[in-house]
Amino acid sequence: MDARLSSLISPEEIAEKIRLIAFEINRQYKGKELTLIVVLKGAMCMAADLMRLIEVPFTVETVRAESYGARGTTPGELTLTGIERLEIAGRDLLIIEDIYDTGRTLDKISQALLEKNPKSLKTVVLLCRKSAPKRPDFTLFEISDEFVVGYGLDYKEHFRGLPGIFILHP
Ligand code: 5GP
Ligand code: MG
């Protein structure tokens, strides 16, 4: 894949923030049981790292959100799959998502999950745009409007395995 990348956030910085967020989640959910809702595919890396530091009992579910696909950096129609089969009434939910950009994806997922009457619903995101209209409950890093890849995030399905986060230059 031919593209120019420049480093934005290092693996060490990510690891440090994951520890801080896990500490906060462990504190807030002490004595409770969580259901983690991992939004595929972008949140895979963060979910894998975060769940190994969560000390309260939890189960894991996945939902899939697709908007970019092969189009690269231009969002298209948003499709959600995997929500129908979830049995989450009365559960404490924590959505794990890669990036909060316009908020369209997380808002739509949150709405669909709330229709199933969970006990509570919070969100943790790896990245949040400084320009975003709202703030998730937990954010690891705030970034500007550049298109980024790595640590789960893709450009046309590539670069998800980079250990850090990189700006993709067009
Ligand atoms: P939103 O619905 O909040 O506008 O966008 C969220 C979704 O858009 C994310 O789940 C992610 O898949 C995609 N997205 C937004 N910005 C970026 C970016 O800079 N890089 C990548 N790889 N995906 C992005
Ligand atoms: Mg995504």
PDB file of all heavy atoms in Angstrom, residues 58-85:
ATOM      1  N   PHE A  58     -16.412  -9.090  33.516  1.00  0.00           N
ATOM      2  CA  PHE A  58     -17.056  -8.566  32.305  1.00  0.00           C
ATOM      3  C   PHE A  58     -17.243  -9.659  31.263  1.00  0.00           C
ATOM      4  O   PHE A  58     -16.556 -10.674  31.274  1.00  0.00           O
ATOM      5  CB  PHE A  58     -16.246  -7.405  31.698  1.00  0.00           C
ATOM      6  CG  PHE A  58     -14.884  -7.803  31.176  1.00  0.00           C
ATOM      7  CD1 PHE A  58     -14.725  -8.310  29.895  1.00  0.00           C
ATOM      8  CD2 PHE A  58     -13.759  -7.650  31.982  1.00  0.00           C
ATOM      9  CE1 PHE A  58     -13.468  -8.659  29.417  1.00  0.00           C
ATOM     10  CE2 PHE A  58     -12.495  -8.004  31.516  1.00  0.00           C
ATOM     11  CZ  PHE A  58     -12.353  -8.513  30.228  1.00  0.00           C
ATOM     12  N   THR A  59     -18.206  -9.416  30.374  1.00  0.00           N
ATOM     13  CA  THR A  59     -18.356 -10.234  29.175  1.00  0.00           C
ATOM     14  C   THR A  59     -18.121  -9.317  27.984  1.00  0.00           C
ATOM     15  O   THR A  59     -18.157  -8.093  28.124  1.00  0.00           O
ATOM     16  CB  THR A  59     -19.761 -10.864  29.092  1.00  0.00           C
ATOM     17  OG1 THR A  59     -20.733  -9.823  29.155  1.00  0.00           O
ATOM     18  CG2 THR A  59     -20.005 -11.829  30.246  1.00  0.00           C
ATOM     19  N   VAL A  60     -17.864  -9.914  26.825  1.00  0.00           N
ATOM     20  CA  VAL A  60     -17.542  -9.121  25.639  1.00  0.00           C
ATOM     21  C   VAL A  60     -18.502  -9.447  24.507  1.00  0.00           C
ATOM     22  O   VAL A  60     -18.772 -10.607  24.225  1.00  0.00           O
ATOM     23  CB  VAL A  60     -16.105  -9.427  25.138  1.00  0.00           C
ATOM     24  CG1 VAL A  60     -15.753  -8.519  23.955  1.00  0.00           C
ATOM     25  CG2 VAL A  60     -15.095  -9.265  26.242  1.00  0.00           C
ATOM     26  N   GLU A  61     -19.024  -8.403  23.868  1.00  0.00           N
ATOM     27  CA  GLU A  61     -19.839  -8.567  22.665  1.00  0.00           C
ATOM     28  C   GLU A  61     -19.232  -7.689  21.572  1.00  0.00           C
ATOM     29  O   GLU A  61     -18.516  -6.738  21.871  1.00  0.00           O
ATOM     30  CB  GLU A  61     -21.288  -8.115  22.918  1.00  0.00           C
ATOM     31  CG  GLU A  61     -22.016  -8.877  23.999  1.00  0.00           C
ATOM     32  CD  GLU A  61     -22.323 -10.321  23.610  1.00  0.00           C
ATOM     33  OE1 GLU A  61     -22.196 -10.657  22.418  1.00  0.00           O
ATOM     34  OE2 GLU A  61     -22.680 -11.104  24.507  1.00  0.00           O
ATOM     35  N   THR A  62     -19.547  -8.006  20.330  1.00  0.00           N
ATOM     36  CA  THR A  62     -19.058  -7.164  19.239  1.00  0.00           C
ATOM     37  C   THR A  62     -20.230  -6.699  18.380  1.00  0.00           C
ATOM     38  O   THR A  62     -21.225  -7.406  18.230  1.00  0.00           O
ATOM     39  CB  THR A  62     -18.081  -7.924  18.325  1.00  0.00           C
ATOM     40  OG1 THR A  62     -18.742  -9.074  17.799  1.00  0.00           O
ATOM     41  CG2 THR A  62     -16.835  -8.353  19.080  1.00  0.00           C
ATOM     42  N   VAL A  63     -20.116  -5.494  17.867  1.00  0.00           N
ATOM     43  CA  VAL A  63     -21.047  -5.027  16.840  1.00  0.00           C
ATOM     44  C   VAL A  63     -20.162  -4.506  15.715  1.00  0.00           C
ATOM     45  O   VAL A  63     -18.988  -4.208  15.919  1.00  0.00           O
ATOM     46  CB  VAL A  63     -22.004  -3.918  17.333  1.00  0.00           C
ATOM     47  CG1 VAL A  63     -22.851  -4.402  18.479  1.00  0.00           C
ATOM     48  CG2 VAL A  63     -21.245  -2.664  17.723  1.00  0.00           C
ATOM     49  N   ARG A  64     -20.750  -4.412  14.524  1.00  0.00           N
ATOM     50  CA  ARG A  64     -19.941  -3.970  13.408  1.00  0.00           C
ATOM     51  C   ARG A  64     -20.532  -2.706  12.803  1.00  0.00           C
ATOM     52  O   ARG A  64     -21.733  -2.632  12.562  1.00  0.00           O
ATOM     53  CB  ARG A  64     -19.886  -5.082  12.372  1.00  0.00           C
ATOM     54  CG  ARG A  64     -18.980  -4.748  11.234  1.00  0.00           C
ATOM     55  CD  ARG A  64     -18.416  -5.994  10.617  1.00  0.00           C
ATOM     56  NE  ARG A  64     -17.626  -5.583   9.479  1.00  0.00           N
ATOM     57  CZ  ARG A  64     -17.144  -6.413   8.577  1.00  0.00           C
ATOM     58  NH1 ARG A  64     -17.369  -7.706   8.676  1.00  0.00           N
ATOM     59  NH2 ARG A  64     -16.429  -5.954   7.593  1.00  0.00           N
ATOM     60  N   ALA A  65     -19.676  -1.712  12.620  1.00  0.00           N
ATOM     61  CA  ALA A  65     -20.099  -0.468  11.980  1.00  0.00           C
ATOM     62  C   ALA A  65     -19.253  -0.288  10.737  1.00  0.00           C
ATOM     63  O   ALA A  65     -18.033  -0.395  10.786  1.00  0.00           O
ATOM     64  CB  ALA A  65     -19.906   0.709  12.922  1.00  0.00           C
ATOM     65  N   GLU A  66     -19.899  -0.023   9.613  1.00  0.00           N
ATOM     66  CA  GLU A  66     -19.153   0.194   8.373  1.00  0.00           C
ATOM     67  C   GLU A  66     -19.640   1.462   7.706  1.00  0.00           C
ATOM     68  O   GLU A  66     -20.826   1.631   7.480  1.00  0.00           O
ATOM     69  CB  GLU A  66     -19.384  -0.965   7.404  1.00  0.00           C
ATOM     70  CG  GLU A  66     -18.586  -2.201   7.759  1.00  0.00           C
ATOM     71  CD  GLU A  66     -19.014  -3.373   6.900  1.00  0.00           C
ATOM     72  OE1 GLU A  66     -20.118  -3.882   7.110  1.00  0.00           O
ATOM     73  OE2 GLU A  66     -18.230  -3.746   6.013  1.00  0.00           O
ATOM     74  N   SER A  67     -18.682   2.338   7.375  1.00  0.00           N
ATOM     75  CA  SER A  67     -19.076   3.512   6.611  1.00  0.00           C
ATOM     76  C   SER A  67     -18.059   3.857   5.529  1.00  0.00           C
ATOM     77  O   SER A  67     -18.418   4.354   4.483  1.00  0.00           O
ATOM     78  CB  SER A  67     -19.300   4.719   7.529  1.00  0.00           C
ATOM     79  OG  SER A  67     -18.158   4.978   8.300  1.00  0.00           O
ATOM     80  N   TYR A  68     -16.789   3.555   5.781  1.00  0.00           N
ATOM     81  CA  TYR A  68     -15.757   3.960   4.813  1.00  0.00           C
ATOM     82  C   TYR A  68     -15.505   2.880   3.771  1.00  0.00           C
ATOM     83  O   TYR A  68     -15.540   3.137   2.587  1.00  0.00           O
ATOM     84  CB  TYR A  68     -14.433   4.262   5.531  1.00  0.00           C
ATOM     85  CG  TYR A  68     -14.413   5.578   6.248  1.00  0.00           C
ATOM     86  CD1 TYR A  68     -15.335   5.864   7.251  1.00  0.00           C
ATOM     87  CD2 TYR A  68     -13.484   6.544   5.921  1.00  0.00           C
ATOM     88  CE1 TYR A  68     -15.315   7.073   7.911  1.00  0.00           C
ATOM     89  CE2 TYR A  68     -13.453   7.755   6.573  1.00  0.00           C
ATOM     90  CZ  TYR A  68     -14.374   8.019   7.572  1.00  0.00           C
ATOM     91  OH  TYR A  68     -14.352   9.217   8.223  1.00  0.00           O
ATOM     92  N   GLY A  69     -15.233   1.649   4.233  1.00  0.00           N
ATOM     93  CA  GLY A  69     -14.959   0.530   3.344  1.00  0.00           C
ATOM     94  C   GLY A  69     -13.863   0.840   2.351  1.00  0.00           C
ATOM     95  O   GLY A  69     -12.865   1.466   2.676  1.00  0.00           O
ATOM     96  N   ALA A  70     -14.073   0.448   1.144  1.00  0.00           N
ATOM     97  CA  ALA A  70     -13.038   0.587   0.118  1.00  0.00           C
ATOM     98  C   ALA A  70     -12.922   2.016  -0.390  1.00  0.00           C
ATOM     99  O   ALA A  70     -12.071   2.327  -1.195  1.00  0.00           O
ATOM    100  CB  ALA A  70     -13.324  -0.364  -1.033  1.00  0.00           C
ATOM    101  N   ARG A  71     -13.818   2.911   0.098  1.00  0.00           N
ATOM    102  CA  ARG A  71     -13.754   4.281  -0.393  1.00  0.00           C
ATOM    103  C   ARG A  71     -12.625   5.078   0.232  1.00  0.00           C
ATOM    104  O   ARG A  71     -12.327   6.176  -0.214  1.00  0.00           O
ATOM    105  CB  ARG A  71     -15.090   5.000  -0.162  1.00  0.00           C
ATOM    106  CG  ARG A  71     -16.067   4.837  -1.308  1.00  0.00           C
ATOM    107  CD  ARG A  71     -17.323   5.652  -1.046  1.00  0.00           C
ATOM    108  NE  ARG A  71     -17.856   5.344   0.268  1.00  0.00           N
ATOM    109  CZ  ARG A  71     -18.661   4.330   0.514  1.00  0.00           C
ATOM    110  NH1 ARG A  71     -19.033   3.536  -0.448  1.00  0.00           N
ATOM    111  NH2 ARG A  71     -19.084   4.085   1.729  1.00  0.00           N
ATOM    112  N   GLY A  72     -12.013   4.556   1.275  1.00  0.00           N
ATOM    113  CA  GLY A  72     -10.845   5.233   1.834  1.00  0.00           C
ATOM    114  C   GLY A  72     -11.190   6.263   2.877  1.00  0.00           C
ATOM    115  O   GLY A  72     -11.554   5.930   3.977  1.00  0.00           O
ATOM    116  N   THR A  73     -11.073   7.537   2.565  1.00  0.00           N
ATOM    117  CA  THR A  73     -11.235   8.567   3.590  1.00  0.00           C
ATOM    118  C   THR A  73     -12.560   9.320   3.473  1.00  0.00           C
ATOM    119  O   THR A  73     -12.768  10.319   4.150  1.00  0.00           O
ATOM    120  CB  THR A  73     -10.079   9.590   3.526  1.00  0.00           C
ATOM    121  OG1 THR A  73     -10.074  10.173   2.228  1.00  0.00           O
ATOM    122  CG2 THR A  73      -8.744   8.935   3.789  1.00  0.00           C
ATOM    123  N   THR A  74     -13.452   8.864   2.620  1.00  0.00           N
ATOM    124  CA  THR A  74     -14.751   9.540   2.460  1.00  0.00           C
ATOM    125  C   THR A  74     -15.863   8.680   3.037  1.00  0.00           C
ATOM    126  O   THR A  74     -16.112   7.593   2.543  1.00  0.00           O
ATOM    127  CB  THR A  74     -15.083   9.766   0.966  1.00  0.00           C
ATOM    128  OG1 THR A  74     -13.877  10.055   0.283  1.00  0.00           O
ATOM    129  CG2 THR A  74     -16.072  10.885   0.798  1.00  0.00           C
ATOM    130  N   PRO A  75     -16.539   9.132   4.103  1.00  0.00           N
ATOM    131  CA  PRO A  75     -17.589   8.304   4.693  1.00  0.00           C
ATOM    132  C   PRO A  75     -18.764   8.115   3.740  1.00  0.00           C
ATOM    133  O   PRO A  75     -19.131   9.030   3.009  1.00  0.00           O
ATOM    134  CB  PRO A  75     -18.034   9.076   5.935  1.00  0.00           C
ATOM    135  CG  PRO A  75     -17.255  10.326   5.983  1.00  0.00           C
ATOM    136  CD  PRO A  75     -16.361  10.407   4.790  1.00  0.00           C
ATOM    137  N   GLY A  76     -19.365   6.921   3.757  1.00  0.00           N
ATOM    138  CA  GLY A  76     -20.556   6.670   2.960  1.00  0.00           C
ATOM    139  C   GLY A  76     -21.707   6.354   3.883  1.00  0.00           C
ATOM    140  O   GLY A  76     -21.764   6.852   5.006  1.00  0.00           O
ATOM    141  N   GLU A  77     -22.615   5.512   3.423  1.00  0.00           N
ATOM    142  CA  GLU A  77     -23.763   5.162   4.248  1.00  0.00           C
ATOM    143  C   GLU A  77     -23.321   4.287   5.422  1.00  0.00           C
ATOM    144  O   GLU A  77     -22.463   3.422   5.264  1.00  0.00           O
ATOM    145  CB  GLU A  77     -24.798   4.418   3.405  1.00  0.00           C
ATOM    146  CG  GLU A  77     -26.129   4.341   4.117  1.00  0.00           C
ATOM    147  CD  GLU A  77     -27.209   3.698   3.248  1.00  0.00           C
ATOM    148  OE1 GLU A  77     -27.060   3.724   2.016  1.00  0.00           O
ATOM    149  OE2 GLU A  77     -28.166   3.177   3.816  1.00  0.00           O
ATOM    150  N   LEU A  78     -23.896   4.530   6.595  1.00  0.00           N
ATOM    151  CA  LEU A  78     -23.502   3.798   7.797  1.00  0.00           C
ATOM    152  C   LEU A  78     -24.374   2.560   7.982  1.00  0.00           C
ATOM    153  O   LEU A  78     -25.596   2.662   8.021  1.00  0.00           O
ATOM    154  CB  LEU A  78     -23.646   4.734   9.004  1.00  0.00           C
ATOM    155  CG  LEU A  78     -23.434   4.136  10.392  1.00  0.00           C
ATOM    156  CD1 LEU A  78     -22.008   3.625  10.544  1.00  0.00           C
ATOM    157  CD2 LEU A  78     -23.725   5.189  11.453  1.00  0.00           C
ATOM    158  N   THR A  79     -23.741   1.387   8.078  1.00  0.00           N
ATOM    159  CA  THR A  79     -24.523   0.189   8.389  1.00  0.00           C
ATOM    160  C   THR A  79     -24.022  -0.425   9.690  1.00  0.00           C
ATOM    161  O   THR A  79     -22.820  -0.504   9.938  1.00  0.00           O
ATOM    162  CB  THR A  79     -24.419  -0.885   7.280  1.00  0.00           C
ATOM    163  OG1 THR A  79     -23.029  -1.200   7.084  1.00  0.00           O
ATOM    164  CG2 THR A  79     -24.999  -0.409   5.968  1.00  0.00           C
ATOM    165  N   LEU A  80     -24.970  -0.847  10.529  1.00  0.00           N
ATOM    166  CA  LEU A  80     -24.655  -1.496  11.800  1.00  0.00           C
ATOM    167  C   LEU A  80     -25.114  -2.941  11.723  1.00  0.00           C
ATOM    168  O   LEU A  80     -26.228  -3.206  11.271  1.00  0.00           O
ATOM    169  CB  LEU A  80     -25.394  -0.817  12.949  1.00  0.00           C
ATOM    170  CG  LEU A  80     -25.091   0.646  13.226  1.00  0.00           C
ATOM    171  CD1 LEU A  80     -25.891   1.124  14.432  1.00  0.00           C
ATOM    172  CD2 LEU A  80     -23.605   0.842  13.473  1.00  0.00           C
ATOM    173  N   THR A  81     -24.279  -3.868  12.182  1.00  0.00           N
ATOM    174  CA  THR A  81     -24.739  -5.255  12.269  1.00  0.00           C
ATOM    175  C   THR A  81     -24.349  -5.840  13.618  1.00  0.00           C
ATOM    176  O   THR A  81     -23.363  -5.433  14.229  1.00  0.00           O
ATOM    177  CB  THR A  81     -24.128  -6.142  11.154  1.00  0.00           C
ATOM    178  OG1 THR A  81     -22.754  -5.801  10.985  1.00  0.00           O
ATOM    179  CG2 THR A  81     -24.840  -5.961   9.833  1.00  0.00           C
ATOM    180  N   GLY A  82     -25.159  -6.798  14.067  1.00  0.00           N
ATOM    181  CA  GLY A  82     -24.824  -7.519  15.298  1.00  0.00           C
ATOM    182  C   GLY A  82     -25.568  -7.037  16.525  1.00  0.00           C
ATOM    183  O   GLY A  82     -25.423  -7.592  17.609  1.00  0.00           O
ATOM    184  N   ILE A  83     -26.381  -5.991  16.387  1.00  0.00           N
ATOM    185  CA  ILE A  83     -27.061  -5.452  17.567  1.00  0.00           C
ATOM    186  C   ILE A  83     -28.322  -6.262  17.899  1.00  0.00           C
ATOM    187  O   ILE A  83     -28.629  -6.477  19.071  1.00  0.00           O
ATOM    188  CB  ILE A  83     -27.385  -3.952  17.359  1.00  0.00           C
ATOM    189  CG1 ILE A  83     -26.062  -3.165  17.311  1.00  0.00           C
ATOM    190  CG2 ILE A  83     -28.277  -3.418  18.492  1.00  0.00           C
ATOM    191  CD1 ILE A  83     -26.190  -1.676  17.271  1.00  0.00           C
ATOM    192  N   GLU A  84     -29.002  -6.763  16.838  1.00  0.00           N
ATOM    193  CA  GLU A  84     -30.279  -7.492  17.060  1.00  0.00           C
ATOM    194  C   GLU A  84     -30.110  -8.640  18.067  1.00  0.00           C
ATOM    195  O   GLU A  84     -30.942  -8.845  18.945  1.00  0.00           O
ATOM    196  CB  GLU A  84     -30.896  -8.110  15.808  1.00  0.00           C
ATOM    197  CG  GLU A  84     -30.446  -7.784  14.388  1.00  0.00           C
ATOM    198  CD  GLU A  84     -28.986  -7.601  14.102  1.00  0.00           C
ATOM    199  OE1 GLU A  84     -28.259  -8.620  14.068  1.00  0.00           O
ATOM    200  OE2 GLU A  84     -28.552  -6.467  13.883  1.00  0.00           O
ATOM    201  N   ARG A  85     -29.004  -9.390  17.940  1.00  0.00           N
ATOM    202  CA  ARG A  85     -28.874 -10.622  18.724  1.00  0.00           C
ATOM    203  C   ARG A  85     -28.392 -10.383  20.169  1.00  0.00           C
ATOM    204  O   ARG A  85     -28.276 -11.327  20.950  1.00  0.00           O
ATOM    205  CB  ARG A  85     -27.908 -11.585  18.021  1.00  0.00           C
ATOM    206  CG  ARG A  85     -26.546 -11.001  17.899  1.00  0.00           C
ATOM    207  CD  ARG A  85     -25.504 -11.891  17.283  1.00  0.00           C
ATOM    208  NE  ARG A  85     -24.352 -11.089  16.945  1.00  0.00           N
ATOM    209  CZ  ARG A  85     -23.522 -10.558  17.842  1.00  0.00           C
ATOM    210  NH1 ARG A  85     -23.686 -10.787  19.135  1.00  0.00           N
ATOM    211  NH2 ARG A  85     -22.527  -9.796  17.466  1.00  0.00           N
TER     212      ARG A  85
END
